[in-house]
Coordinates of all heavy atoms in Angstrom, one line a residue:
D500 N -19.3 13.5 -15.3 CA -19.0 13.9 -16.6 C -17.7 13.1 -17.1 O -17.1 12.5 -16.2 CB -18.6 15.4 -16.7 CG -19.8 16.2 -16.3 OD1 -20.9 15.7 -16.4 OD2 -19.5 17.4 -15.9
L515 N 1.2 8.7 -8.4 CA 1.0 9.5 -9.6 C 2.1 10.6 -9.7 O 2.7 10.8 -10.8 CB -0.4 10.2 -9.6 CG -0.7 11.0 -10.9 CD1 -0.6 10.1 -12.1 CD2 -2.0 11.7 -10.8
P526 N -0.2 14.3 -17.7 CA -1.6 14.7 -17.7 C -1.6 16.2 -18.0 O -0.8 17.0 -17.5 CB -2.1 14.3 -16.3 CG -0.9 14.2 -15.5 CD 0.3 13.8 -16.4
T527 N -2.6 16.6 -18.7 CA -2.8 18.1 -18.9 C -3.6 18.7 -17.8 O -3.6 19.9 -17.6 CB -3.6 18.3 -20.2 OG1 -4.8 17.5 -20.2 CG2 -2.8 18.0 -21.5
A552 N -12.8 5.2 -0.1 CA -11.7 5.1 -1.0 C -10.6 6.0 -0.6 O -9.4 5.6 -0.9 CB -12.2 5.6 -2.4
H562 N -6.7 0.4 12.6 CA -8.2 0.2 13.0 C -8.3 -1.1 13.8 O -8.1 -2.2 13.4 CB -9.0 0.0 11.7 CG -10.5 0.1 11.9 ND1 -11.2 -1.0 12.2 CD2 -11.3 1.2 11.9 CE1 -12.5 -0.6 12.4 NE2 -12.5 0.7 12.2
E564 N -10.7 -2.9 15.0 CA -11.6 -4.1 14.6 C -10.9 -4.9 13.5 O -11.0 -6.1 13.5 CB -12.9 -3.6 14.2 CG -14.0 -3.6 15.2 CD -15.3 -3.3 14.6 OE1 -15.7 -3.9 13.6 OE2 -16.0 -2.4 15.2
S573 N -4.9 -5.7 7.8 CA -4.1 -4.7 8.6 C -2.6 -5.1 8.5 O -1.7 -4.2 8.4 CB -4.5 -4.6 10.0 OG -4.6 -5.9 10.6
S598 N 2.6 -0.4 -12.4 CA 3.6 -1.5 -12.3 C 4.9 -0.9 -11.7 O 5.3 0.3 -12.0 CB 3.9 -2.0 -13.7 OG 5.1 -2.8 -13.6
E626 N 14.3 -10.7 -12.0 CA 14.4 -11.3 -10.6 C 13.1 -11.0 -9.8 O 12.7 -11.9 -9.0 CB 15.6 -10.7 -9.9 CG 16.9 -11.2 -10.3 CD 17.5 -10.4 -11.5 OE1 16.7 -9.7 -12.2 OE2 18.7 -10.6 -11.7
C636 N 3.3 -9.4 -20.9 CA 4.0 -8.7 -19.9 C 4.2 -9.5 -18.6 O 3.2 -10.2 -18.2 CB 3.1 -7.4 -19.6 SG 3.6 -6.5 -18.2
T638 N 5.1 -8.2 -15.6 CA 5.0 -7.4 -14.3 C 4.3 -8.2 -13.2 O 3.6 -9.1 -13.5 CB 4.3 -6.1 -14.6 OG1 4.4 -5.3 -13.4 CG2 2.8 -6.3 -14.8
A645 N -4.1 -5.7 -2.1 CA -4.9 -6.4 -3.1 C -5.1 -7.9 -2.8 O -6.2 -8.4 -2.9 CB -4.3 -6.2 -4.5
A673 N -7.0 -7.2 -13.2 CA -6.9 -8.3 -14.2 C -5.6 -8.1 -14.9 O -5.1 -7.0 -15.0 CB -8.1 -8.1 -15.2
H679 N -6.1 -3.5 -23.0 CA -6.0 -2.8 -21.7 C -4.6 -3.0 -21.2 O -4.4 -4.0 -20.4 CB -7.0 -3.4 -20.7 CG -8.4 -3.3 -21.1 ND1 -9.2 -2.2 -20.9 CD2 -9.3 -4.2 -21.6 CE1 -10.4 -2.4 -21.3 NE2 -10.5 -3.6 -21.8
R684 N -9.2 -2.9 -14.4 CA -10.2 -2.6 -15.4 C -11.2 -1.5 -15.1 O -12.3 -1.4 -15.6 CB -11.1 -3.9 -15.6 CG -10.4 -5.1 -16.2 CD -10.1 -4.9 -17.7 NE -9.4 -6.0 -18.2 CZ -8.0 -6.1 -18.2 NH1 -7.3 -5.2 -17.6 NH2 -7.5 -7.2 -18.7
P699 N -14.6 -12.2 7.9 CA -14.3 -13.6 7.8 C -14.7 -14.4 9.0 O -14.7 -13.8 10.1 CB -12.7 -13.6 7.6 CG -12.2 -12.4 8.2 CD -13.3 -11.4 8.1
L706 N 1.7 -12.7 5.1 CA 3.2 -12.9 5.2 C 3.8 -12.4 4.0 O 3.4 -12.6 2.9 CB 3.5 -14.3 5.5 CG 2.9 -15.0 6.7 CD1 3.3 -16.5 6.8 CD2 3.2 -14.3 8.0
R711 N 14.8 -6.5 1.7 CA 15.3 -5.9 2.9 C 14.1 -5.8 3.8 O 13.0 -6.0 3.4 CB 16.0 -4.6 2.6 CG 15.1 -3.5 2.1 CD 15.8 -2.2 1.9 NE 14.8 -1.3 1.3 CZ 15.1 -0.3 0.5 NH1 16.4 -0.1 0.1 NH2 14.2 0.5 0.0
G720 N 4.3 -12.6 -1.4 CA 3.5 -12.4 -0.3 C 2.4 -13.5 -0.3 O 2.0 -14.0 -1.3
V721 N 1.9 -13.8 0.9 CA 0.8 -14.8 1.0 C -0.3 -14.2 1.9 O 0.0 -14.0 3.1 CB 1.3 -16.2 1.5 CG1 0.2 -17.1 1.8 CG2 2.2 -16.8 0.4
A722 N -1.5 -14.1 1.4 CA -2.6 -13.7 2.2 C -3.5 -15.0 2.3 O -3.8 -15.7 1.3 CB -3.5 -12.7 1.4
R725 N -9.1 -18.0 6.7 CA -9.8 -19.2 7.0 C -11.3 -18.9 7.0 O -11.7 -18.0 7.7 CB -9.3 -19.8 8.3 CG -9.9 -21.2 8.5 CD -9.1 -21.9 9.6 NE -9.9 -23.1 9.9 CZ -9.4 -24.1 10.7 NH1 -8.2 -24.0 11.2 NH2 -10.2 -25.1 10.9
I731 N -8.9 -19.6 1.8 CA -8.5 -18.9 0.5 C -7.1 -18.4 0.7 O -6.8 -17.7 1.7 CB -9.5 -17.8 0.2 CG1 -10.9 -18.3 0.0 CG2 -9.1 -17.1 -1.1 CD1 -12.0 -17.3 -0.3
D758 N 0.3 -33.3 8.0 CA 0.6 -33.8 6.7 C -0.2 -33.1 5.6 O 0.4 -32.9 4.5 CB 0.1 -35.3 6.7 CG 1.2 -36.2 7.4 OD1 2.2 -35.6 7.7 OD2 0.9 -37.4 7.5
A759 N -1.5 -32.8 5.8 CA -2.3 -32.2 4.8 C -1.7 -30.8 4.5 O -1.7 -30.3 3.4 CB -3.7 -32.1 5.3
K780 N 11.6 -17.8 -6.3 CA 10.3 -17.5 -5.7 C 9.4 -18.7 -5.4 O 8.5 -18.7 -4.5 CB 9.5 -16.6 -6.7 CG 10.0 -15.2 -6.8 CD 9.0 -14.3 -7.5 CE 9.6 -12.8 -7.5 NZ 8.6 -11.8 -7.8

Side-chain angles (χ1 to χ4, degrees):
D500 297 341
L515 187 60
T527 50
H562 192 272
E564 267 188 46
S573 52
S598 165
E626 284 85 343
C636 170
T638 184
H679 299 279
R684 292 289 179 275
L706 302 178
R711 65 178 177 211
V721 169
R725 190 162 169 172
I731 299 182
D758 281 354
K780 289 198 177 196

